[in-house]
């Protein structure tokens, strides 16, 4: 008997859980001879070398959360360059004993980076109309499709004034090479991180980014040229790209809720014009470029292909959720330039087991996880919060150790309380902001439990706090369809990215803190700790924040040090 897409997605999730005595199926070792090339390129595509302009952006990080505080930058090549530099560009190189690897502004599981990015533009000063692929290693655009003047005018008429589209896709093999069957989960985390990274970079330019969630995967695949078999000739199926998300970028930022709603309506209108967008970009464009192969051979993971097929999204038309308008303004946050905070984001590899943060700092971090109209990054997603956080508090001054839950939506209270079935306290901590939706479930030292849950990793116990992100997975998929499996993981990735930046921006007397995502955790051990049974609530991603321990063996190099000096100086010179 054939199974429904929802049954296949839920089966994949169950199959890829880690257990105390058995991890999800993977190769069990790293085959370095087949390690995927970390950068996709399209040989023969005309190149546009991008200037390095991120350092010139002066917007303060705290102003990103104040609607209308950042004056919109003009849409031109330099602004587009800064957008990609701050979202998907390199942030540094690390070096150890002759080995060298790149870090990027968008984090990735295992630093494997399955996410590819594209730009569709109707033309701007310094940038001809067309579809481009971004290569982070060289900070350049490869023009995959050129549009003639008539097509460019037609595309401009379909988009809001100055509007751009950024497309995201995934190469699942890049994660599967290391993580096997669980890799599909990690690819979705990375899409979420990339969505948030683009949104934050847009905010630093005074722009808005909105997910075109009505768009179908087949439409996006055609729009990005991922269905052009001739352009992928000689490339194995495992090296091909899966269409994921499209973001509409608009060079303005809403200062009032009604303006945010108007932009959301504009995004819906663009998605409704998908057939025309595809015709202009995919059918009328003059195409160039052949994709590079990433590995000489591959290991097949059929279950990844199956869940990708099961969660394939058709074109939909769902009403956008209206975020709460009664939340107070976000607390101050860091005064450092946003570009500096974004570029110095790193994943901590170890914590000192000493650094603490104050309750006020902790509450401020959690407050940034609540959506507000027109405030990044949550205004990029058109749905109501579906992912919540169960928090292990270890070292938060003014807050007892223990297990807490953050409800990111008031509507979820009853379902969360029923799903977290142990006889918990459900007490609001003293001094906690009333709107935050934070409850203490139990008071206890749970450092050992947090470490066990996170595949015995000390980093889950040695920080100030760690958390597991939970969603009502079964109900969401049965009510809204199998494609929501991917979207819930995207939301978890956005949540994680917010914590990354909030940790970098935090100023606390307890010392500097840094965050890291944890993809390896024992799903059902965590569920049992929380009293979760069945698929009513499932953990999708874990995260931790604490005082980082730097590895002195690693040398850190500037992100674009490998570019020729002449180009670097030329591109860094205004004009």
């Amino acid at each position: 008997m054939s199974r429904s897409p929802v049954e296949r997605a839920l089966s994949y999730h169950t199959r890829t859980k880690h257990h105390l005595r058995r991890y999800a199926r993977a190769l069990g070792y790293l085959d370095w001879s087949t390690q995927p090339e970390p950068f996709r390129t399209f040989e023969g595509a005309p190149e546009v070398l991008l200037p390095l302009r991120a350092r010139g952006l002066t917007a303060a990080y705290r102003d990103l959360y104040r609607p209308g505080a950042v004056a919109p930058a003009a849409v031109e090549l330099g602004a587009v360059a800064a957008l990609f530099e701050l979202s998907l560009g390199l942030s540094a190189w690390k070096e150890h004993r002759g080995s060298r690897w790149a870090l990027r502004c968008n984090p990735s599981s295992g630093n494997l980076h399955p996410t590819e990015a594209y730009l569709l533009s109707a033309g701007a000063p310094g940038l001809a109309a067309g579809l481009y692929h971004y290569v982070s290693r060289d900070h350049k655009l490869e023009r995959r499709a050129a549009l003639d003047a008539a097509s460019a005018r037609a595309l401009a008429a379909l988009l809001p004034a100055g509007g751009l589209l950024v497309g995201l896709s995934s190469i699942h093999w890049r994660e599967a090479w290391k993580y096997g069957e669980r890799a599909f989960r990690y690819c979705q985390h990375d899409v979420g991180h990339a969505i948030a990274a683009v949104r934050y970079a847009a905010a630093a330019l005074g722009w808005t980014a909105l997910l075109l969630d009505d768009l179908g995967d087949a439409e996006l695949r055609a729009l990005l040229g991922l269905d052009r078999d001739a352009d992928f000739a000689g490339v194995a199926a495992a090296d091909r790209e899966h269409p994921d998300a499209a973001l509409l970028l608009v060079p303005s930022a809403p200062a009032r809720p009604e303006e945010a709603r108007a932009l959301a309506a504009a995004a819906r209108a663009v998605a409704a014009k998908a057939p025309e967008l595809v015709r202009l970009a995919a059918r009328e464009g003059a195409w160039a470029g052949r994709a590079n192969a990433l590995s000489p051979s591959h290991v097949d993971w059929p279950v990844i292909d199956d869940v990708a097929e099961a969660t394939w999204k058709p074109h939909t038309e769902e009403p956008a959720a209206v975020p709460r308008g009664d939340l107070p303004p976000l607390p101050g946050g860091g005064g450092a330039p946003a570009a500096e905070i974004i570029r110095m984001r790193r994943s901590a590899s170890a914590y000192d087991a000493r650094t603490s943060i104050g309750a006020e700092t902790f509450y401020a971090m959690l407050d940034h996880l609540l959506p507000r109209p027109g405030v990044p990054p949550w205004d990029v997603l058109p749905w109501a919060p579906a992912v919540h956080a169960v928090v292990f508090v270890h070292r938060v001054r003014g807050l007892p150790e223990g297990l807490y839950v953050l409800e990111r939506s008031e509507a979820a209270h009853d379902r969360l309380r029923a799903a977290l079935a142990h006889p918990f306290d459900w007490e609001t901590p003293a001094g906690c902001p009333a709107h935050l939706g934070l409850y203490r479930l139990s008071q206890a030292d749970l450092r050992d439990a947090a470490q066990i849950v996170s595949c015995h990793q000390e980093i889950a116990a040695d920080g100030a706090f760690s958390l597991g992100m939970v969603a009502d997975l079964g109900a969401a998929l049965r009510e809204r369809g199998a494609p929501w499996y991917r979207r819930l993981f995207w939301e978890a990735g956005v949540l994680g990215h917010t914590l990354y930046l909030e940790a970098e921006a935090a100023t606390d007397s307890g010392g500097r803190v840094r965050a890291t995502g944890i993809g390896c955790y024992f799903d059902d051990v965590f569920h049992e700790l929380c009293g979760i049974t069945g698929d009513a609530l499932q953990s999708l991603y874990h995260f931790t924040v604490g005082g980082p321990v730097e590895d002195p063996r690693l040398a850190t190099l500037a992100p674009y040090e490998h570019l020729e000096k002449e180009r670097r100086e030329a591109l860094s010179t205004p004009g």
Side-chain angles (χ1 to χ4, degrees):
M1 180 183 296
S2 61
R3 298 177 301 165
S4 71
V6 168
E7 291 170 330
R8 290 158 64 191
L10 292 175
S11 175
Y12 168 81
H13 190 77
T14 299
R15 176 187 176 118
T16 56
K17 289 181 178 181
H18 287 322
H19 300 276
L20 281 170
R21 293 179 177 82
R22 174 180 59 81
Y23 286 83
R25 186 166 176 256
L27 197 58
Y29 63 91
L30 295 180
D31 181 1
W32 295 107
S33 68
T34 62
Q35 182 182 17
E37 160 64 41
F39 302 103
R40 163 130 289 164
T41 58
F42 288 89
E43 183 179 357
E47 298 179 351
V48 178
L49 304 182
L50 298 176
L52 299 169
R53 293 290 173 80
R55 290 184 183 274
L57 299 182
T58 59
Y61 177 74
R62 64 187 173 203
D63 287 341
L64 304 190
Y65 297 109
R66 297 171 51 213
V70 181
V75 179
E76 44 80 32
L77 183 65
V80 171
L83 175 84
F84 280 103
E85 186 180 351
L86 288 180
S87 58
L88 300 156
L90 304 187
S91 59
W93 287 86
K94 291 290 185 179
E95 191 171 68
H96 177 60
R97 292 185 176 179
S99 296
R100 204 169 185 236
W101 59 96
L103 305 181
R104 307 192 199 185
C105 291
N106 58 310
S108 172
S109 301
N111 200 37
L112 296 172
H113 290 284
T115 311
E116 296 293 327
Y118 294 81
L119 172 73
L120 179 62
S121 170
L127 188 68
L131 176 75
Y132 296 84
H133 171 253
Y134 178 63
V135 184
S136 61
R137 177 192 59 205
D138 307 309
H139 192 46
K140 68 182 180 183
L141 294 172
E142 299 173 314
R143 194 175 70 192
R144 293 280 289 121
L147 298 181
D148 61 24
S151 296
R153 287 193 297 272
L155 176 60
L158 296 176
L159 302 174
L164 305 165
L165 291 182
V166 170
L168 302 174
S169 64
S170 293
I171 302 172
H172 299 149
W173 164 244
R174 282 211 182 108
E175 291 287 339
W177 169 77
K178 180 177 181 180
Y179 296 115
E181 292 188 346
R182 198 169 166 100
F184 187 78
R185 295 184 180 209
Y186 300 158
C187 288
Q188 308 316 312
H189 288 157
D190 283 11
V191 172
H193 279 293
I195 289 171
V198 171
R199 179 62 190 102
Y200 274 111
L205 290 162
W207 298 357
T208 298
L210 300 156
L211 180 67
L212 299 183
D213 199 42
D214 287 357
L215 205 64
D217 287 342
E219 294 165 332
L220 182 58
R221 180 176 61 180
L223 189 63
L224 303 183
L226 305 182
D227 60 348
R228 295 178 57 82
D229 293 339
D231 296 350
F232 290 86
V235 173
D239 287 350
R240 296 287 292 264
E241 300 172 35
H242 184 288
D244 282 312
L247 303 173
L248 171 66
L249 275 71
V250 180
S252 65
R256 296 186 298 275
E258 57 269 24
E259 294 174 351
R261 288 192 291 270
L263 283 177
R268 293 289 308 280
V270 170
K273 301 167 185 173
E276 298 164 82
L277 288 170
V278 170
R279 178 181 59 80
L280 289 172
R283 304 295 174 240
E284 295 188 7
W287 288 80
R290 294 277 295 272
N292 62 328
L294 304 181
S295 292
S297 62
H298 307 79
V299 176
D300 292 329
W301 299 104
V303 70
I304 292 180
D305 297 332
D306 183 70
V307 72
E309 180 183 279
T311 57
W312 187 262
K313 182 185 179 297
H315 188 100
T316 56
E317 294 183 11
E318 298 182 14
V322 178
R324 290 175 59 183
D326 60 341
L327 296 178
L330 283 166
E340 178 182 318
I341 297 295
I342 291 171
R343 285 158 55 90
M344 72 182 189
R345 184 217 61 80
R346 303 284 188 273
S347 295
S349 57
Y351 292 142
D352 60 15
R354 295 188 308 274
T355 299
S356 65
I357 60 173
E360 184 176 346
T361 300
F362 177 68
Y363 294 146
M365 286 184 180
L366 298 186
D367 209 351
H368 283 77
L369 305 182
L370 303 182
R372 291 165 167 84
V375 176
W378 297 108
D379 60 342
V380 74
L381 300 181
W383 60 80
V387 177
H388 311 276
V390 176
V391 189
F392 297 91
V393 169
H394 303 318
R395 298 174 180 85
V396 177
R397 301 186 306 278
L399 201 60
E401 295 176 317
L403 193 67
Y404 295 72
V405 62
L406 174 70
E407 297 177 349
R408 297 183 54 247
S409 167
E410 292 177 315
H413 180 79
D414 291 341
R415 296 181 80 165
L416 282 173
R417 191 151 188 169
L420 302 173
H422 287 327
F424 288 128
D425 298 336
W426 287 92
E427 294 183 356
T428 300
C432 178
H435 69 276
L436 201 52
L438 181 71
Y439 298 90
R440 188 180 73 245
L441 301 179
S442 63
Q443 184 171 332
D445 180 351
L446 295 175
R447 287 174 293 178
D448 289 344
Q451 181 173 331
I452 292 170
V453 162
S454 294
C455 298
H456 307 291
Q457 296 176 86
E458 293 177 353
I459 200 167
D462 290 347
F465 67 93
S466 63
L467 58 85
M469 304 178 197
V470 297
D472 200 344
L473 185 66
L477 269 61
R478 294 183 185 102
E479 293 170 8
R480 309 182 79 167
W484 270 87
Y485 185 73
R486 291 157 57 199
R487 276 146 185 77
L488 292 174
F489 276 91
W490 296 358
E491 185 177 337
V494 175
L495 193 151
H497 200 81
T498 306
L499 286 174
Y500 264 126
L501 296 187
E502 281 301 295
E504 296 291 350
T507 55
D508 188 277
S509 60
R512 182 190 179 197
V513 294
R514 177 159 275 170
T516 194
I518 300 177
C520 185
Y521 56 87
F522 298 123
D523 302 61
D524 289 339
V525 173
F526 176 72
H527 296 156
E528 183 178 352
L529 180 70
C530 298
I532 296 170
T533 59
D535 63 10
L537 211 62
Q538 294 288 288
S539 182
L540 305 183
Y541 195 11
H542 285 224
F543 228 82
T544 182
V545 174
V549 176
E550 304 295 342
D551 189 339
R553 300 171 300 173
L554 303 183
T556 302
L557 307 174
Y560 291 103
E561 190 69 26
H562 60 292
L563 299 179
E564 293 85 2
K565 181 181 179 183
E566 295 78 10
R567 176 190 166 193
R568 196 164 65 246
E569 292 177 345
L571 294 180
S572 298
T573 302

